[in-house]
Amino acid sequence: MIPATFSAALLRGVRSRCPRCGEGSLFRKWLKPRERCPVCTMDLTPQRADDFPGYIAMIVTGHLMAPLIIALSVDYAMGPVGMLAIVVPLAIAMMIGMLQPAKGGVIATQWWFGMHGFVKERLPEVPAEDNRAG
Ligand SMILES: [Zn+2]
């Protein structure tokens, strides 16, 4: 079923599910999107995530690592070797772990806003009169 809100569609994408039906898997391999959703058969070839998931992963990782680096150097007076031994593997793991959810989110965003040849789909809006108790 088509999600009611952008955040619902985005959450489906972040969880590597088709943003339209929420059931079919979005990826054939780790970062290789399917050509069609296996459940609702939506065409996924218009997606153009390009480098954007990588930038999202770098920005989020950088913002999460900065306080850790500051805490390790100020509070624990850790030297550069110990710092690199902790920070570099952690940053690599975080970025690798974030790539697929970020790409799913980018594809879901492109689908929701009808970008790059995706068909913009919305549930029909409920008129205000129907919300009143009667
Ligand atoms: Zn689907």
Side-chain angles (χ1 to χ4, degrees):
M1 188 180 172
I2 295 171
T5 61
F6 167 62
S7 57
L10 182 65
L11 185 64
R12 288 176 178 182
V14 168
R15 293 165 64 197
S16 303
R17 295 284 135 198
C18 166
R20 186 172 184 265
C21 67
E23 291 178 31
S25 65
L26 204 49
F27 297 99
R28 181 158 45 96
K29 290 179 184 170
W30 179 43
L31 291 176
K32 187 81 179 168
R34 294 179 183 279
E35 296 193 350
R36 293 194 168 276
C37 170
V39 176
C40 70
T41 69
M42 178 177 73
D43 184 16
L44 291 164
T45 54
Q47 69 82 19
R48 298 285 179 272
D50 297 334
D51 296 341
F52 195 43
Y55 289 117
I56 292 171
M58 282 191 285
I59 289 168
V60 173
T61 301
H63 281 85
L64 293 176
M65 295 305 278
L68 176 70
I69 293 169
I70 293 167
L72 288 177
S73 63
V74 174
D75 298 340
Y76 297 96
M78 187 172 272
V81 175
M83 184 91 75
L84 286 175
I86 292 172
V87 169
V88 170
L90 191 58
I92 290 171
M94 284 172 69
M95 283 192 281
I96 288 174
M98 227 176 290
L99 276 176
Q100 194 192 50
K103 187 163 185 173
V106 169
I107 293 171
T109 302
Q110 292 174 343
W111 171 76
W112 179 260
F113 291 105
M115 299 162 78
H116 314 297
F118 275 120
V119 178
K120 201 172 182 178
E121 297 176 78
R122 294 283 192 281
L123 291 173
E125 293 208 12
V126 180
E129 292 81 24
D130 292 356
N131 294 332
R132 292 190 200 134

